[in-house]
Amino acid sequence: MIHARTTAALLLTAAGLLSQTALAADPAVPYPADYRSWSHVKSMVIEEGHPLFASFGGIHHLYANKKAMKGYAAGKFPDGSVIAFDLLEATRADGTVTEGARKVLGVMHKDSKRYAATGGWGFEGFGGGAADKRVVGDNAATACYACHTAQAASDYVFSKTRD
Amino acid sequence: MIHARTTAALLLTAAGLLSQTALAADPAVPYPADYRSWSHVKSMVIEEGHPLFASFGGIHHLYANKKAMKGYAAGKFPDGSVIAFDLLEATRADGTVTEGARKVLGVMHKDSKRYAATGGWGFEGFGGGAADKRVVGDNAATACYACHTAQAASDYVFSKTRD
């Protein structure tokens, strides 16, 4: 009887942990650990005076995993597509603009069911590129998707590939 | 007799073509057809006023194949390492610097025997990124290696990887 009760209690605890994990992890965008080895799509510098300087000032590079590279070509991104927006400080001096510290790593992760509310894309920002510093969290709809809706025709993606 | 002469003439012609091909192709640096899918190492903008503007003005990206990525980590690059220096026009307007047309694709290709005279590296530049527009050719020693010798301690490579 004691054994049966203990087992039941353990099972309930396990079930509780599982459901908590599911609730907490479900909407979270995975940190893309290997994005620096993905294809480099394009780059751009945003300087002082630009309306997006406060959020995106610096030099940014866009990287895409293999599924996302197919998505750029197709105009529609398959589930599992991930695009990384890697924003670094840009220092202008002596006729050069050089890269500095990472400001934020932005991520778009396609999962048409999981992120149905935001165009099938999960959006996250990792402060300083740190996997545990989520700066978007539950605000993806207003902080990211609101602007990306303008790009509905290209599956909510602003960037285009180039040669 | 006529037949034999024709055959001999054809063989001589074929041998001549082969030796010409061998002579022309031997020191040539292969065009790195897939470099845009390699790892992106770093980027930099060089603007007017910089002493290297005439040669390298614009935004450049460095890409490395897998062997070269190991070379950066080891401080010595194995044969087969290839580093691409991809130089694009950079347009400064409205608080942004954006990428334009490709100016030149520079390549360093490690083969310690083939390119022994220039630090084990073959150097080439492809004008506009076109595989058939070789702008360095036989001038690698003066046009490229002369400056790269300053980096002998890092196996003649200027760039460093970053996070």
Side-chain angles (χ1 to χ4, degrees):
Chain A
M1 199 56 189
I2 289 169
H3 183 259
R5 262 191 227 141
T6 310
T7 305
L10 283 170
L11 284 171
L12 283 169
T13 306
L17 286 171
L18 279 172
S19 81
Q20 278 173 33
T21 305
L23 282 172
D26 209 3
V29 173
Y31 179 80
D34 54 348
Y35 77 96
R36 285 285 284 115
S37 67
W38 296 352
S39 288
H40 169 233
V41 177
K42 57 164 284 186
S43 299
M44 182 177 171
V45 179
I46 293 180
E47 301 188 309
E48 275 195 77
H50 188 279
L52 293 176
F53 180 76
S55 301
F56 299 126
I59 182 168
H60 66 252
H61 306 296
L62 284 152
Y63 301 96
N65 70 358
K66 285 179 183 172
K67 286 185 177 174
M69 287 306 287
K70 288 182 183 169
Y72 279 111
K76 180 83 182 169
F77 291 77
D79 280 0
S81 295
V82 186
I83 300 171
F85 172 96
D86 201 19
L87 178 62
L88 312 176
E89 301 276 4
T91 306
R92 219 158 158 251
D94 304 325
T96 66
V97 181
T98 52
E99 299 170 328
R102 181 163 287 110
K103 294 177 77 178
V104 70
L105 171 63
V107 175
M108 287 178 71
H109 188 121
K110 189 76 179 277
D111 186 325
S112 48
K113 286 179 186 167
R114 200 178 195 183
Y115 308 116
T118 47
W121 289 98
F123 296 85
E124 186 55 276
F126 296 94
D132 60 350
K133 291 193 183 160
R134 293 178 176 265
V135 298
V136 171
D138 294 335
N139 301 314
T142 50
C144 307
Y145 184 59
C147 280
H148 280 263
T149 53
Q151 302 298 317
S154 52
D155 205 1
Y156 306 101
V157 173
F158 278 91
S159 51
K160 314 283 179 208
T161 51
R162 58 162 174 80
D163 282 343
Chain B
M1 199 59 187
I2 288 167
H3 183 259
R5 262 190 230 143
T6 310
T7 305
L10 282 170
L11 282 171
L12 282 169
T13 306
L17 285 171
L18 279 172
S19 81
Q20 277 172 34
T21 305
L23 281 173
D26 208 5
V29 173
Y31 180 79
D34 54 347
Y35 77 97
R36 285 283 286 116
S37 67
W38 294 352
S39 288
H40 169 232
V41 176
K42 56 163 287 188
S43 300
M44 182 177 172
V45 179
I46 293 180
E47 302 187 309
E48 274 194 77
H50 189 280
L52 293 176
F53 180 75
S55 301
F56 299 126
I59 181 166
H60 66 252
H61 306 296
L62 284 152
Y63 301 96
N65 69 358
K66 285 179 183 171
K67 286 185 177 174
M69 287 305 288
K70 288 181 183 168
Y72 279 112
K76 181 82 183 169
F77 292 77
D79 281 359
S81 294
V82 185
I83 301 172
F85 173 96
D86 201 19
L87 179 62
L88 311 175
E89 300 276 3
T91 306
R92 222 160 155 250
D94 304 326
T96 66
V97 180
T98 52
E99 299 169 328
R102 181 163 288 110
K103 295 178 75 178
V104 69
L105 170 63
V107 175
M108 288 178 70
H109 189 120
K110 188 73 179 277
D111 186 326
S112 48
K113 286 180 186 165
R114 199 176 195 183
Y115 308 116
T118 46
W121 290 98
F123 296 85
E124 187 52 278
F126 296 93
D132 59 352
K133 290 192 184 160
R134 291 176 177 267
V135 298
V136 172
D138 293 336
N139 302 314
T142 50
C144 307
Y145 184 58
C147 278
H148 281 263
T149 52
Q151 302 298 318
S154 52
D155 204 1
Y156 307 101
V157 173
F158 277 90
S159 51
K160 314 282 180 207
T161 51
R162 58 163 176 78
D163 282 343

